[in-house]
Amino acid sequence: MLKYLFIILISFCSSYTFSQVNESDTLNITDSLEYVIDTTRQVKSDIDDVINYSANDSVVFDLKENKMFLFDQSELIYKDLKLNAGIIVVDRETEFLEAFGIPDSAESGKFVQVPLMYQGDEKYEGAKLTYNFKTQQGSVSMGFSEADVGYYFGEKIKKVTPEVYFIKNGLYTTSTDREDPEYYFFSPKMKIIPKDKVIAQSVFLFIEGVPVFWIPLAVFPNKSGRSTGIITPTYGDDATYGMYFSNFGYFWAINDYVDLALTGSWFTKGRVDISSQFRYVLKYNYSGSFQGGYSRIRLGEEGDADRQVSDEWAINLRHNQQINPTTTIEGDLSFVSGKSYYNNSTNQLSELLRQNVISNVTLNKFWEATPYSLNVNYYRDQNLENGDIIERIPSVSFTSSESFPFRSIYSSADDQKLYENLSYSYSGNFRYNRTRRTVTGYTGLDSTYKDRRLGARHNARINFSPKFDFFNIIPFFDYTELWYGKSVKKTYNPLDSTVSTEDVDGFKAVRYFNTGVSFNTKFIGIFTPKIFNVTGIRHTITPTITYNYHPDFSDEKYGYYGTYNDASGNSIKYSFFEKEVFAGAPSGEVQSLSFALDNIFEMKTRMNDTTENRFQLFNIKADVNYNFAADSLKLSELNTNFRTQIGSILNIGGSARFNFYKYDENKNTRVNKYLWNEERKLADLTSFNINLSTSYDFGLTSGEGLTGKIDETEDTLKVIEKKEERRKNNEVKFNIPISGSLNYNYSETRTNPAVIVKSSNLMGNITFSPTEKWKFTFSASYDLVNKEITAPYVTVYRDLNSWEMNFNWYPTGTYRGFRLEIRIKAPDLHDIKVTKEKNARGVFGNFGGF
């Protein structure tokens, strides 16, 4: 029983006060003039606050020795210091306290209620604890001190100042097993600066009690998050580049907003890699990073046939900023010397399969309460296979979204005047394109082709959308105007039968339009089969008919197209603006009538008396158009697509295209003859694809001695009792969670009915955990046409308590190989790891990359 003592001992408390409960008798008021305290005779003390204490067994005051003893479940609180222990002794003369554990009566040599002290955010635990109120210094024998991650243990932990601790024969670990940790760092002398770093002399790493390596001096971070310090290197031997010393560098946490990391790798057979990363952030404003990598390879000797010489580099810049509530900027710029940079610096499959490097910087601006918005973009596409580069520097877009200039703010949707349904929208674009390509000439030699083009496009659209009860009729008019500073002129050269293209400088404007009308309505059919729990099936049909018209802008009177005669004397028509950024006006007159049909089937089922479930059964769409102005092949292909979902089990989607004209094998093209007239066949299938996908998540369990299924309708208490009884009897021997996905894709193309190109792939992955600490993932794709497995991938993860193991394996293919890594789980110690890797390319790890 906890006993609280309220004792006023003038002789013992002349220098400081112990307090548990502060009570005063309001009926017995002492005359303040009766006693006068002589402050000159008081003993001065460094204890300037009340000490609260309690003990479960007893509190003993030794007046002769000026000591206080607390026994059993003792607790002492002074300012931010809180101490719990079996025994606490406070010495008045020396202002010194000691705390001990109590011998365990059940096990000899063991102690219970060992001292546990909290001071601020710090925690100390040990067999014996001492603390001096005067110097605010203390020590812990055979004690523990928690770090942000893990804890320290030492034969003696001594607090010299609030900012400095010394540990004798100390160790550091993140293991949860204090008695027998899987690993630890041991040092006879440690100096700890809380929230900063740990300096240790003669450091040994022990794994399962066995010393693995030794370093004369080590400095470890002693705080979570970023911390300035040396980046731990790795060592090894690579089959291609020899022994290496990699990823050695320095991390500089400059301040709370900026940091810098520099690393380098060195190989004995002539390779050096350097990488850097600079990061910055200001919360709610902007963030970004700058990364760079360089790889220099000199493999082999001068004059060797297989000598490899390479200088590769890569730069990446990211920036995101909220300039104000209506303006943002986002950027991701990447520049790479070539494909070989990734081939030589990484084993990540996503990087090795990369074909292009894309850069994008976008500024977005909109004006509140207006339809106006602005977009400024820089775009760069670098093809890593052939080195081609396409840039837009910049692309500027200004948009005014749909507006109704005659609509009153006071009119409602039911009483709008006819003219109030007239709307307009506008978009303007300016673009400057720069292109660099490698072109192979007739002699077989490569040359670099460079081109620069700029232009502006204006587009205005007018809609009229009156409201009707059962259908919508929307007339529209689109007007486009293009401005260019260049055009082209083509000339046929009879001497070498080539066509030369010449740029012609000078301002040119291109104007064209498109007009038409769109009609749509909706039909709804409802069926009530009343079978099972189905309460209704709804079929929604949405037909849309659109008429489009624009004249033939390739006609000579518009001046947008030119002609030249080929070797046979045939007149070849070409656009003066075919190389420009927005191309030119469309050729050929269009008077087309298009028809689209959207079918949606939905079903509703009853879950219970108050709840119904509604979901889509399937969706089928089809569209076709007929161009009255075309000289042949007026009817387009019929395009269809479909989608359905079988509960949460299976997703099915696909599309198909059909052509109504006969294919002429002699001309290798469709001719102006309907299949129905020639072969009494409605249409040819020209392309088809279907995709089936599913995902799963379940568990496998095995039981022993089960007495049957538990009836969940029984009394709740009985159900709980039966489940608890089974749990106690350990009836369930294992529970293996399994998840993954399966995807099947089939497609075929029949542009020529006699030549069918097929593709069929089955892709899947599965993840399961046979135990809590093992996790396996298998991923592969099987080509059913070529009958081969593509891109198989296996990963194995094992939780090793304080450590973790990752194993990645590509069994076949160009990038076949494996990577095994065992490392400490604690984030601050991730660099302490053992890695083994092997692949067909001989590249080990990621050096200099990002």
Side-chain angles (χ1 to χ4, degrees), residues 370-394:
T370 72
Y372 308 128
S373 63
L374 177 69
N375 177 284
V376 181
N377 173 262
Y378 166 78
Y379 175 86
R380 184 178 189 269
D381 182 352
Q382 179 180 354
N383 189 304
L384 296 177
E385 296 296 329
N386 54 31
D388 292 351
I389 296 176
I390 299 173
E391 288 182 295
R392 295 199 292 261
I393 46 174

mmCIF file of all heavy atoms in Angstrom, residues 370-394:
data_model
loop_
_atom_site.group_PDB
_atom_site.id
_atom_site.type_symbol
_atom_site.label_atom_id
_atom_site.label_comp_id
_atom_site.label_asym_id
_atom_site.label_seq_id
_atom_site.Cartn_x
_atom_site.Cartn_y
_atom_site.Cartn_z
ATOM 1 N N THR A 370 -12.531 34.716 -63.099
ATOM 2 C CA THR A 370 -12.488 34.971 -64.540
ATOM 3 C C THR A 370 -12.281 33.630 -65.253
ATOM 4 O O THR A 370 -11.834 32.651 -64.651
ATOM 5 C CB THR A 370 -11.334 35.917 -64.924
ATOM 6 O OG1 THR A 370 -10.084 35.219 -64.796
ATOM 7 C CG2 THR A 370 -11.327 37.158 -64.041
ATOM 8 N N PRO A 371 -12.579 33.565 -66.551
ATOM 9 C CA PRO A 371 -12.340 32.323 -67.303
ATOM 10 C C PRO A 371 -10.922 32.209 -67.851
ATOM 11 O O PRO A 371 -10.637 31.309 -68.637
ATOM 12 C CB PRO A 371 -13.357 32.421 -68.438
ATOM 13 C CG PRO A 371 -13.481 33.882 -68.697
ATOM 14 C CD PRO A 371 -13.324 34.558 -67.360
ATOM 15 N N TYR A 372 -10.014 33.100 -67.426
ATOM 16 C CA TYR A 372 -8.703 33.182 -68.058
ATOM 17 C C TYR A 372 -7.660 32.363 -67.295
ATOM 18 O O TYR A 372 -7.633 32.352 -66.054
ATOM 19 C CB TYR A 372 -8.242 34.645 -68.144
ATOM 20 C CG TYR A 372 -9.256 35.555 -68.781
ATOM 21 C CD1 TYR A 372 -9.655 36.731 -68.141
ATOM 22 C CD2 TYR A 372 -9.822 35.241 -70.011
ATOM 23 C CE1 TYR A 372 -10.588 37.565 -68.723
ATOM 24 C CE2 TYR A 372 -10.755 36.068 -70.600
ATOM 25 C CZ TYR A 372 -11.143 37.217 -69.946
ATOM 26 O OH TYR A 372 -12.079 38.030 -70.528
ATOM 27 N N SER A 373 -6.784 31.725 -68.059
ATOM 28 C CA SER A 373 -5.653 30.994 -67.484
ATOM 29 C C SER A 373 -4.479 31.026 -68.450
ATOM 30 O O SER A 373 -4.664 31.176 -69.665
ATOM 31 C CB SER A 373 -6.041 29.540 -67.175
ATOM 32 O OG SER A 373 -6.383 28.843 -68.358
ATOM 33 N N LEU A 374 -3.273 30.900 -67.892
ATOM 34 C CA LEU A 374 -2.044 30.968 -68.681
ATOM 35 C C LEU A 374 -1.146 29.794 -68.322
ATOM 36 O O LEU A 374 -1.026 29.428 -67.145
ATOM 37 C CB LEU A 374 -1.311 32.284 -68.405
ATOM 38 C CG LEU A 374 0.037 32.496 -69.109
ATOM 39 C CD1 LEU A 374 -0.172 32.684 -70.607
ATOM 40 C CD2 LEU A 374 0.763 33.687 -68.504
ATOM 41 N N ASN A 375 -0.526 29.214 -69.340
ATOM 42 C CA ASN A 375 0.389 28.095 -69.143
ATOM 43 C C ASN A 375 1.644 28.347 -69.972
ATOM 44 O O ASN A 375 1.557 28.561 -71.184
ATOM 45 C CB ASN A 375 -0.275 26.774 -69.554
ATOM 46 C CG ASN A 375 0.653 25.581 -69.442
ATOM 47 O OD1 ASN A 375 1.529 25.383 -70.262
ATOM 48 N ND2 ASN A 375 0.421 24.769 -68.436
ATOM 49 N N VAL A 376 2.799 28.335 -69.304
ATOM 50 C CA VAL A 376 4.082 28.490 -69.998
ATOM 51 C C VAL A 376 4.892 27.225 -69.724
ATOM 52 O O VAL A 376 5.088 26.848 -68.563
ATOM 53 C CB VAL A 376 4.850 29.730 -69.511
ATOM 54 C CG1 VAL A 376 6.164 29.870 -70.270
ATOM 55 C CG2 VAL A 376 4.001 30.983 -69.678
ATOM 56 N N ASN A 377 5.365 26.559 -70.774
ATOM 57 C CA ASN A 377 6.007 25.256 -70.626
ATOM 58 C C ASN A 377 7.296 25.172 -71.427
ATOM 59 O O ASN A 377 7.385 25.667 -72.558
ATOM 60 C CB ASN A 377 5.042 24.153 -71.071
ATOM 61 C CG ASN A 377 5.692 22.774 -71.104
ATOM 62 O OD1 ASN A 377 6.107 22.294 -72.149
ATOM 63 N ND2 ASN A 377 5.788 22.145 -69.948
ATOM 64 N N TYR A 378 8.308 24.559 -70.797
ATOM 65 C CA TYR A 378 9.524 24.153 -71.517
ATOM 66 C C TYR A 378 9.531 22.633 -71.554
ATOM 67 O O TYR A 378 9.322 21.968 -70.526
ATOM 68 C CB TYR A 378 10.781 24.655 -70.814
ATOM 69 C CG TYR A 378 12.046 23.987 -71.330
ATOM 70 C CD1 TYR A 378 12.625 24.374 -72.535
ATOM 71 C CD2 TYR A 378 12.631 22.935 -70.624
ATOM 72 C CE1 TYR A 378 13.758 23.748 -73.018
ATOM 73 C CE2 TYR A 378 13.769 22.309 -71.103
ATOM 74 C CZ TYR A 378 14.331 22.710 -72.299
ATOM 75 O OH TYR A 378 15.452 22.072 -72.779
ATOM 76 N N TYR A 379 9.786 22.059 -72.729
ATOM 77 C CA TYR A 379 9.749 20.605 -72.907
ATOM 78 C C TYR A 379 10.972 20.170 -73.697
ATOM 79 O O TYR A 379 11.345 20.801 -74.682
ATOM 80 C CB TYR A 379 8.472 20.201 -73.638
ATOM 81 C CG TYR A 379 8.383 18.734 -73.991
ATOM 82 C CD1 TYR A 379 7.895 17.807 -73.079
ATOM 83 C CD2 TYR A 379 8.775 18.287 -75.247
ATOM 84 C CE1 TYR A 379 7.814 16.466 -73.406
ATOM 85 C CE2 TYR A 379 8.694 16.955 -75.594
ATOM 86 C CZ TYR A 379 8.208 16.041 -74.670
ATOM 87 O OH TYR A 379 8.129 14.704 -74.992
ATOM 88 N N ARG A 380 11.578 19.078 -73.247
ATOM 89 C CA ARG A 380 12.738 18.529 -73.944
ATOM 90 C C ARG A 380 12.653 17.011 -73.926
ATOM 91 O O ARG A 380 12.474 16.400 -72.876
ATOM 92 C CB ARG A 380 14.041 18.975 -73.271
ATOM 93 C CG ARG A 380 15.320 18.523 -73.986
ATOM 94 C CD ARG A 380 16.528 19.067 -73.241
ATOM 95 N NE ARG A 380 17.772 18.862 -73.953
ATOM 96 C CZ ARG A 380 18.557 17.785 -73.798
ATOM 97 N NH1 ARG A 380 18.200 16.815 -72.950
ATOM 98 N NH2 ARG A 380 19.685 17.673 -74.470
ATOM 99 N N ASP A 381 12.771 16.403 -75.088
ATOM 100 C CA ASP A 381 12.714 14.947 -75.229
ATOM 101 C C ASP A 381 14.020 14.486 -75.861
ATOM 102 O O ASP A 381 14.311 14.802 -77.018
ATOM 103 C CB ASP A 381 11.520 14.551 -76.100
ATOM 104 C CG ASP A 381 11.387 13.035 -76.246
ATOM 105 O OD1 ASP A 381 12.288 12.296 -75.812
ATOM 106 O OD2 ASP A 381 10.370 12.590 -76.805
ATOM 107 N N GLN A 382 14.810 13.734 -75.089
ATOM 108 C CA GLN A 382 16.092 13.223 -75.579
ATOM 109 C C GLN A 382 15.968 11.725 -75.791
ATOM 110 O O GLN A 382 15.721 10.965 -74.840
ATOM 111 C CB GLN A 382 17.212 13.520 -74.586
ATOM 112 C CG GLN A 382 18.577 12.985 -75.020
ATOM 113 C CD GLN A 382 19.666 13.305 -74.007
ATOM 114 O OE1 GLN A 382 19.434 14.020 -73.030
ATOM 115 N NE2 GLN A 382 20.847 12.771 -74.225
ATOM 116 N N ASN A 383 16.119 11.276 -77.022
ATOM 117 C CA ASN A 383 16.068 9.857 -77.354
ATOM 118 C C ASN A 383 17.432 9.235 -77.054
ATOM 119 O O ASN A 383 18.436 9.602 -77.656
ATOM 120 C CB ASN A 383 15.696 9.667 -78.828
ATOM 121 C CG ASN A 383 15.428 8.223 -79.167
ATOM 122 O OD1 ASN A 383 16.255 7.340 -78.962
ATOM 123 N ND2 ASN A 383 14.243 7.982 -79.714
ATOM 124 N N LEU A 384 17.477 8.281 -76.120
ATOM 125 C CA LEU A 384 18.739 7.704 -75.701
ATOM 126 C C LEU A 384 19.283 6.698 -76.706
ATOM 127 O O LEU A 384 20.474 6.364 -76.666
ATOM 128 C CB LEU A 384 18.570 7.013 -74.338
ATOM 129 C CG LEU A 384 18.208 7.944 -73.171
ATOM 130 C CD1 LEU A 384 17.989 7.138 -71.913
ATOM 131 C CD2 LEU A 384 19.293 8.981 -72.963
ATOM 132 N N GLU A 385 18.450 6.221 -77.618
ATOM 133 C CA GLU A 385 18.905 5.233 -78.592
ATOM 134 C C GLU A 385 19.651 5.876 -79.753
ATOM 135 O O GLU A 385 20.708 5.403 -80.175
ATOM 136 C CB GLU A 385 17.704 4.430 -79.112
ATOM 137 C CG GLU A 385 16.995 3.592 -78.054
ATOM 138 C CD GLU A 385 17.897 2.510 -77.488
ATOM 139 O OE1 GLU A 385 18.768 2.005 -78.215
ATOM 140 O OE2 GLU A 385 17.726 2.165 -76.294
ATOM 141 N N ASN A 386 19.101 6.985 -80.284
ATOM 142 C CA ASN A 386 19.732 7.594 -81.459
ATOM 143 C C ASN A 386 20.241 9.011 -81.201
ATOM 144 O O ASN A 386 20.819 9.624 -82.085
ATOM 145 C CB ASN A 386 18.760 7.606 -82.640
ATOM 146 C CG ASN A 386 17.434 8.266 -82.299
ATOM 147 O OD1 ASN A 386 17.366 9.173 -81.478
ATOM 148 N ND2 ASN A 386 16.363 7.792 -82.936
ATOM 149 N N GLY A 387 19.998 9.538 -79.996
ATOM 150 C CA GLY A 387 20.504 10.864 -79.663
ATOM 151 C C GLY A 387 19.666 12.017 -80.152
ATOM 152 O O GLY A 387 20.038 13.187 -79.958
ATOM 153 N N ASP A 388 18.517 11.768 -80.790
ATOM 154 C CA ASP A 388 17.669 12.847 -81.283
ATOM 155 C C ASP A 388 17.113 13.662 -80.115
ATOM 156 O O ASP A 388 16.764 13.109 -79.061
ATOM 157 C CB ASP A 388 16.507 12.290 -82.113
ATOM 158 C CG ASP A 388 16.977 11.680 -83.422
ATOM 159 O OD1 ASP A 388 18.175 11.850 -83.749
ATOM 160 O OD2 ASP A 388 16.166 11.033 -84.107
ATOM 161 N N ILE A 389 17.014 14.974 -80.326
ATOM 162 C CA ILE A 389 16.495 15.874 -79.296
ATOM 163 C C ILE A 389 15.416 16.764 -79.898
ATOM 164 O O ILE A 389 15.615 17.361 -80.956
ATOM 165 C CB ILE A 389 17.614 16.740 -78.686
ATOM 166 C CG1 ILE A 389 18.632 15.862 -77.963
ATOM 167 C CG2 ILE A 389 17.033 17.781 -77.732
ATOM 168 C CD1 ILE A 389 19.816 16.642 -77.421
ATOM 169 N N ILE A 390 14.279 16.825 -79.224
ATOM 170 C CA ILE A 390 13.194 17.717 -79.608
ATOM 171 C C ILE A 390 12.919 18.629 -78.424
ATOM 172 O O ILE A 390 12.699 18.167 -77.305
ATOM 173 C CB ILE A 390 11.921 16.928 -79.990
ATOM 174 C CG1 ILE A 390 12.202 16.006 -81.182
ATOM 175 C CG2 ILE A 390 10.779 17.880 -80.303
ATOM 176 C CD1 ILE A 390 11.042 15.085 -81.512
ATOM 177 N N GLU A 391 12.917 19.952 -78.673
ATOM 178 C CA GLU A 391 12.702 20.924 -77.606
ATOM 179 C C GLU A 391 11.590 21.898 -77.983
ATOM 180 O O GLU A 391 11.458 22.272 -79.149
ATOM 181 C CB GLU A 391 13.985 21.717 -77.327
ATOM 182 C CG GLU A 391 15.070 20.939 -76.624
ATOM 183 C CD GLU A 391 16.281 21.806 -76.349
ATOM 184 O OE1 GLU A 391 16.914 22.238 -77.329
ATOM 185 O OE2 GLU A 391 16.571 22.064 -75.173
ATOM 186 N N ARG A 392 10.831 22.282 -76.971
ATOM 187 C CA ARG A 392 9.893 23.397 -77.106
ATOM 188 C C ARG A 392 10.338 24.476 -76.129
ATOM 189 O O ARG A 392 10.230 24.315 -74.913
ATOM 190 C CB ARG A 392 8.456 22.956 -76.797
ATOM 191 C CG ARG A 392 7.910 21.936 -77.780
ATOM 192 C CD ARG A 392 6.384 21.887 -77.717
ATOM 193 N NE ARG A 392 5.898 21.339 -76.462
ATOM 194 C CZ ARG A 392 5.501 20.086 -76.300
ATOM 195 N NH1 ARG A 392 5.542 19.252 -77.339
ATOM 196 N NH2 ARG A 392 5.061 19.668 -75.137
ATOM 197 N N ILE A 393 10.843 25.582 -76.664
ATOM 198 C CA ILE A 393 11.436 26.619 -75.798
ATOM 199 C C ILE A 393 10.947 28.016 -76.201
ATOM 200 O O ILE A 393 11.654 28.740 -76.909
ATOM 201 C CB ILE A 393 12.979 26.553 -75.865
ATOM 202 C CG1 ILE A 393 13.476 26.437 -77.329
ATOM 203 C CG2 ILE A 393 13.521 25.432 -75.062
ATOM 204 C CD1 ILE A 393 14.970 26.501 -77.470
ATOM 205 N N PRO A 394 9.813 28.432 -75.710
ATOM 206 C CA PRO A 394 8.877 27.698 -74.873
ATOM 207 C C PRO A 394 7.607 27.372 -75.648
ATOM 208 O O PRO A 394 7.504 27.626 -76.851
ATOM 209 C CB PRO A 394 8.576 28.709 -73.784
ATOM 210 C CG PRO A 394 8.529 30.012 -74.562
ATOM 211 C CD PRO A 394 9.539 29.866 -75.679
#
